Amino acid sequence: LSIVNVLAYIQAPFGGTRLSAFVLDPLIFILSVYVAVSLFVLGRGVFCGWLCPFGAAQELLNRLARLLRIPQINIPETLQQRLWAIKYLVAIFLIGAVFVSVDAAERYAEIEPFRTAITVRFDRDWVFVLYAAGLLGVGLFFERAYCQFLCPLGGSLAVLGRFHMFSWLRRRQACGTSCRICEQKCPVGAIGRDGKINLNECLQCMDCQVAYFDDHQCPPLIERRNRRRAQKEATAAVTGAPPDAIPGAAPAE
């Protein structure tokens, strides 16, 4: 799926394009319908986090970079939030351009490297290859840099995804106050200092949810586990039974 497809759907009612024209490419049409439905159910992250192949390439390369101990770039939260706006501005520009000139809008849409990196697998003019490779290269030092700051498709999906029905990522009262582990775990900085998840930027990688349900990472769960263990040990001291033999006992460390 590409920003070009989004522009085609937006421009279709004004250009007299019939639905049959989109069905000529059934796989893209089915994917478009699925993404549209998932946007209003769970938000942007379903496509951007789970289905986008260029996003997957960036993530895999960044993981390789971390294994090779390539230094990672950490930018201030305030600067990151300002850079997020770029993809929305690019999306607005392309949507406006499609009503002026479809051909020009398609040329401007080359800001998206999907065609080069995914569709034709770098079999293009060297300028396009260098651009796509450069974006992947930046991703070695900053995870999913293109997705966060430049992707017009992600920007347009984020706007539509604001109206999603379900917020299924779990939070606790301690999030952002006594505990900020999830904020540190988030690879795209979508969790603020107050512990809230910015679903416009969240790619639903689920890293925060792994920490949320892990009683060896999440401080409230660690405290609960230790308290339960202490209760079982107190019970064991009275009954003489081993703590691990008491139902519900937390395993010994």
Side-chain angles (χ1 to χ4, degrees), residues 11-252:
Q11 196 268 343
F14 305 95
T17 305
R18 295 184 177 182
L19 179 63
S20 57
F22 298 110
V23 181
L24 291 175
D25 193 343
L27 289 180
I28 290 295
F29 182 74
I30 293 171
L31 178 60
S32 299
V33 172
Y34 173 77
V35 171
V37 172
S38 65
L39 276 176
F40 294 107
V41 176
L42 297 176
R44 166 199 179 190
V46 174
F47 176 79
C48 293
W50 304 349
L51 291 176
C52 177
F54 193 77
Q58 292 177 89
E59 184 174 342
L60 290 172
L61 287 174
N62 185 264
R63 291 190 180 189
L64 177 62
R66 291 175 185 270
L67 288 175
L68 297 176
R69 301 186 183 278
I70 294 177
Q72 298 296 298
I73 299 174
N74 295 313
I75 64 175
E77 181 181 359
T78 52
L79 176 59
Q80 184 181 30
Q81 292 176 351
R82 291 171 182 170
L83 292 175
W84 281 342
I86 297 176
K87 63 177 174 288
Y88 298 105
L89 296 175
V90 174
I92 292 171
F93 172 77
L94 291 175
I95 292 172
V98 78
F99 291 103
V100 177
S101 171
V102 174
D103 292 337
E106 289 184 354
R107 290 197 301 271
Y108 297 142
E110 289 290 353
I111 194 172
E112 214 179 43
F114 299 169
R115 180 181 177 188
T116 301
I118 306 301
T119 307
V120 300
R121 285 171 280 185
F122 293 98
D123 186 17
R124 295 191 75 185
D125 187 83
W126 68 270
V127 175
F128 297 103
V129 173
L130 184 63
Y131 173 67
L135 292 175
L136 292 173
V138 172
L140 294 173
F141 305 95
F142 195 97
E143 186 168 345
R144 286 193 178 232
Y146 173 77
C147 297
Q148 291 193 59
F149 307 131
L150 200 57
C151 180
L153 177 61
S156 60
L157 295 182
V159 171
L160 296 173
R162 291 176 65 90
F163 306 101
H164 63 276
M165 293 185 293
F166 300 107
S167 296
W168 65 306
L169 300 179
R170 305 288 293 276
R171 298 279 83 199
R172 289 191 174 90
Q173 188 174 2
C175 297
T177 55
S178 59
C179 176
R180 296 175 61 185
I181 289 179
C182 290
E183 177 188 341
Q184 299 168 4
K185 291 282 186 181
C186 181
V188 295
I191 301 179
R193 292 183 177 274
D194 59 358
K196 294 181 179 179
I197 300 175
N198 183 350
L199 290 177
N200 293 334
E201 305 300 331
C202 175
L203 302 181
Q204 298 185 16
C205 66
M206 313 306 287
D207 286 359
C208 65
Q209 299 302 286
V210 172
Y212 180 93
F213 288 103
D214 189 344
D215 63 2
H216 287 77
Q217 294 189 62
C218 180
L221 292 186
I222 293 173
E223 182 181 354
R224 183 189 306 171
R225 178 170 56 85
N226 291 338
R227 185 169 58 249
R228 185 182 303 162
R229 180 67 186 177
Q231 292 172 349
K232 297 304 180 182
E233 289 178 348
T235 303
V238 174
T239 62
D244 291 342
I246 299 175

